[in-house]
Amino acid sequence: MRLRQSARLLVLNSDRHVLLFRFVHRHGALAGQEYWATPGGGLEPGESFKAAAIRELREETGIVISDPEQEVERRNFILRLPDGEDVQAEERFFSAQVASSDLSREGWTEGERKVMAEHRWWSVEDLEETAETVWPGNIASMIRRLDLEADEL
């Protein structure tokens, strides 16, 4: 099974709300699936996780950062891609604090335009109370951990 490494971001605005995109799959192996997830994506050949996080954030939101703030979490699991391929996913999550909640879709690929239906800034409370599918399921606890670490500084 192929290894797919990816960088994902917890993008937090000044209200400490996190940016999530709603993915709606209408065709292919994931047809019928709908969920909310963070910005991010696969590493390009020779690219570091941090460089991928910077690139993916720019492509998917138009937000430019020079360096993600910190690595928050790592996950490994089996993932089914839209084309039906199952891969061993290795994800690293980084945090990024942004001043503006304005986004751009100019860098989206054709595939992203087909499945990324909308975006929303979620509070921790919204995440803890929602019945909608959110990936990963522990985003609220990741944000709370970041807030605790910030308070300790």
Side-chain angles (χ1 to χ4, degrees), residues 54-128:
I54 292 166
R55 176 184 52 76
E56 287 288 341
L57 183 62
R58 183 186 70 250
E59 290 174 358
E60 293 183 0
T61 69
I63 297 169
V64 177
I65 60 172
S66 59
D67 195 23
E69 292 173 17
Q70 71 185 78
E71 186 175 319
V72 179
E73 187 163 298
R74 295 180 183 195
R75 297 184 336 140
N76 291 283
F77 58 98
I78 304 298
L79 172 69
R80 175 154 295 159
L81 299 176
D83 66 3
E85 179 186 10
D86 289 333
V87 295
Q88 177 63 46
E90 177 186 355
E91 291 183 341
R92 295 190 189 180
F93 283 81
F94 297 89
S95 64
Q97 181 76 35
V98 297
S100 173
S101 295
D102 295 335
L103 305 180
S104 169
R105 297 179 179 193
E106 288 183 28
W108 285 15
T109 66
E110 182 180 334
E112 289 166 339
R113 290 181 191 280
K114 287 181 181 177
V115 298
M116 293 168 73
E118 64 180 305
H119 74 275
R120 177 176 160 199
W121 293 90
W122 293 68
S123 70
V124 169
E125 294 77 19
D126 290 341
L127 290 165
E128 292 173 336

